[in-house]
């Protein structure tokens, strides 16, 4: 074999091998012939005309995710950062549109997300943004589907995955939440205190009722005992008046004995008969009157003692002085 033949054979072999190519699963290949679109090849072993046909590009048919960070403000003028995750894929029947009509799909999707979010969030207050983030995600998905379906893209889902207010706003929200929880705790503590007070009042009322009942039973038994004592004394010839006096005197001395039995007692026993107060007042008035009289007598006596005596002139004194005056 001559060398030129070997060279031609090798070149022909490589050209033949270049006619075959493989396409991976969940992807498509665009084939162009002399720069013009020829066909779309799907997964598997494919064949193309060497030199004439070429692979213009590969299109991924898997679901992709694009995270978009947006800074915007709410209705109550709070600036927040939102993270919107857009899940999308290329429609297999629209690979041509996805490859030739749109060069930078990520930038296009980002622009639409910015537009929708900055149109929806300023209508809501900060608390409503947290509560209605699903509504914002639905609005973004609806707008993206209308815009991107023309380019062969299908929006699978949109998620608002993060809402990040300014750090000062976060601290304020935490303080509000803490104050609200403290208020709730104070209400529960107050209710607990009220329950304890009511229960204690009911217990005291029941205790007082039982004490009153006990005192009434005690007095009833004392009265019954007095009646029996009077009957016993009447049976031995002592009339009712004498028996009553005897019982009172006995109780009086029993009381004195009970008071004297306690060495550390500070109790002062005062007369308690109806005439005792009047007698005590009369005695005090008499004592004050006597004290005043004694004081007046002592003052008079002191004045008499302190009165000075008159000075008597000595005999012959005037006679001695008169000649000198003349």
């Amino acid at each position: 074999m001559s060398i030129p033949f070997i060279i031609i054979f090798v070149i022909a072999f490589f050209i033949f091998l270049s006619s075959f190519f493989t396409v991976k699963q969940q992807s498509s290949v665009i084939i162009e012939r002399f720069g013009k679109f020829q066909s779309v090849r799907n997964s598997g072993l494919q064949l193309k005309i060497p030199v004439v046909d070429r692979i213009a590009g590969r299109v991924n048919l898997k679901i992709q995710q694009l995270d978009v960070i947006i800074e915007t403000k709410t209705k109550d003028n709070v600036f927040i950062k939102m993270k919107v995750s857009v899940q999308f894929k290329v429609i297999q029947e629209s690979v041509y549109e996805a490859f030739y009509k749109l060069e930078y799909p990520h930038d296009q999707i980002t622009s639409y997300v910015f537009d929708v979010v900055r149109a929806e969030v300023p209508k809501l207050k900060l608390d409503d943004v947290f509560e209605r983030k699903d509504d914002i995600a639905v609005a973004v998905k609806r707008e993206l589907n209308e815009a991107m379906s023309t380019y062969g893209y299908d929006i699978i889902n949109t998620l608002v995955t993060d809402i990040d207010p300014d750090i000062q706003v976060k601290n304020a929200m935490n303080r509000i939440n803490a104050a609200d929880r403290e208020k709730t705790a104070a209400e529960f503590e107050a209710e607990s205190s009220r329950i304890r007070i009511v229960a204690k009042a009911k217990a005291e009322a029941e205790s007082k009722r039982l004490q009153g009942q006990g005192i009434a039973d005690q007095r009833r038994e004392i009265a019954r005992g007095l009646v029996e004592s009077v009957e016993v004394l009447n049976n031995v010839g002592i009339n009712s008046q004498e028996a009553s006096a005897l019982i009172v005197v006995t109780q009086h001395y029993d009381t004195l004995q009970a008071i004297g039995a306690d060495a550390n007692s500070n109790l002062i026993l005062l007369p308690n008969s109806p005439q005792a107060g009047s007698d005590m007042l009369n005695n005090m008035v008499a004592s004050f009157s006597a004290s005043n009289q004694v004081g007046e007598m002592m003052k008079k006596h002191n004045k008499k003692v302190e009165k000075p005596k008159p000075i008597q002139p000595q005999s012959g004194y005037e006679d001695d002085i008169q000649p000198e005056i003349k």
Side-chain angles (χ1 to χ4, degrees), residues 237-287:
I238 299 175
N239 58 28
S240 299
Q241 184 175 3
E242 293 175 348
S244 300
L246 180 60
I247 291 172
V248 170
V249 171
T250 303
Q251 291 181 345
H252 176 72
Y253 284 106
D254 289 341
T255 302
L256 293 178
Q257 183 180 1
I259 294 172
D262 190 359
N264 297 322
S265 177
N266 295 325
L267 182 64
I268 299 175
L269 186 64
L270 297 175
N272 58 355
S273 63
Q275 294 82 10
S278 178
D279 294 342
M280 185 182 297
L281 179 61
N282 292 332
N283 293 333
M284 291 177 64
V285 172
S287 299

Side-chain angles (χ1 to χ4, degrees), residues 214-226:
I215 293 172
D217 294 339
Q218 179 186 11
R219 291 176 178 175
R220 189 180 302 109
E221 293 300 324
I222 291 173
R224 186 179 291 111
L226 292 175

Side-chain angles (χ1 to χ4, degrees), residues 156-193:
I156 305 300
N157 201 2
T158 56
L159 302 172
V160 178
T161 57
D162 189 22
I163 300 174
D164 187 18
D166 186 78
I167 185 63
Q168 295 181 355
V169 178
K170 284 184 179 180
N171 293 336
M173 294 176 68
N174 290 333
R175 289 197 299 270
I176 292 172
N177 189 18
D180 186 58
R181 292 182 181 274
E182 289 177 358
K183 177 183 176 182
T184 303
E187 290 176 353
F188 279 107
E189 290 177 358
E191 181 67 17
S192 176
S193 300

Side-chain angles (χ1 to χ4, degrees), residues 55-74:
I55 298 175
R58 297 179 181 271
V59 178
N60 187 2
L61 300 179
K62 296 179 181 179
I63 297 176
Q64 304 176 58
Q65 178 167 311
L66 175 63
D67 294 330
V68 182
I69 306 297
I70 311 156
E71 184 176 8
T72 183
K73 78 177 188 67
T74 61

Side-chain angles (χ1 to χ4, degrees), residues 24-227:
K24 293 182 179 181
Q25 187 67 34
Q26 289 300 103
S27 62
S28 296
V29 171
I30 303 296
I31 301 297
E32 292 181 351
R33 181 171 295 174
F34 298 114
K36 183 180 180 181
F37 172 75
Q38 176 63 29
S39 62
V40 176
R41 306 293 178 87
N42 296 320
S43 59
L45 181 62
Q46 301 292 336
L47 178 65
K48 64 181 180 66
I49 301 174
V51 181
V52 177
D53 295 339
R54 74 178 185 90
I55 298 175
R58 297 179 181 271
V59 178
N60 187 2
L61 300 179
K62 296 179 181 179
I63 297 176
Q64 304 176 58
Q65 178 167 311
L66 175 63
D67 294 330
V68 182
I69 306 297
I70 311 156
E71 184 176 8
T72 183
K73 78 177 188 67
T74 61
K75 187 176 181 180
D76 46 356
N77 295 323
V78 177
F79 282 88
I80 60 174
K81 289 183 179 180
M82 297 181 62
K83 181 179 180 181
V84 180
S85 298
V86 181
Q87 299 172 352
F88 65 96
K89 71 174 183 176
V90 176
I91 303 172
Q92 190 169 4
E93 294 78 12
S94 304
V95 174
Y96 175 85
E97 289 81 2
F99 186 79
Y100 285 102
K101 287 188 176 182
L102 197 59
E103 186 172 5
Y104 301 106
H106 288 188
D107 294 344
Q108 191 79 1
I109 293 173
T110 301
S111 298
Y112 279 108
V113 172
F114 267 82
D115 181 65
V116 175
V117 170
R118 288 183 173 176
E120 294 293 331
V121 173
K123 300 177 183 177
L124 305 174
K125 293 184 178 180
L126 180 60
D127 294 337
D128 295 335
V129 172
F130 283 93
E131 294 176 1
R132 299 178 58 183
K133 66 182 185 68
D134 292 338
D135 296 340
I136 299 172
V138 170
V140 173
K141 181 181 178 182
R142 182 176 59 250
E143 186 70 19
L144 284 176
N145 266 327
E146 293 177 359
M148 299 302 294
S149 60
T150 307
Y151 304 108
Y153 285 87
D154 181 27
I155 306 302
I156 305 300
N157 201 2
T158 56
L159 302 172
V160 178
T161 57
D162 189 22
I163 300 174
D164 187 18
D166 186 78
I167 185 63
Q168 295 181 355
V169 178
K170 284 184 179 180
N171 293 336
M173 294 176 68
N174 290 333
R175 289 197 299 270
I176 292 172
N177 189 18
D180 186 58
R181 292 182 181 274
E182 289 177 358
K183 177 183 176 182
T184 303
E187 290 176 353
F188 279 107
E189 290 177 358
E191 181 67 17
S192 176
S193 300
R194 187 188 68 82
I195 293 174
R196 287 197 295 268
I197 292 172
V198 170
K200 183 178 179 181
K202 290 182 178 180
E204 290 180 354
E206 182 67 15
S207 174
K208 296 296 182 183
R209 187 184 68 81
L210 294 176
Q211 288 178 4
Q213 184 176 354
I215 293 172
D217 294 339
Q218 179 186 11
R219 291 176 178 175
R220 189 180 302 109
E221 293 300 324
I222 291 173
R224 186 179 291 111
L226 292 175
V227 171

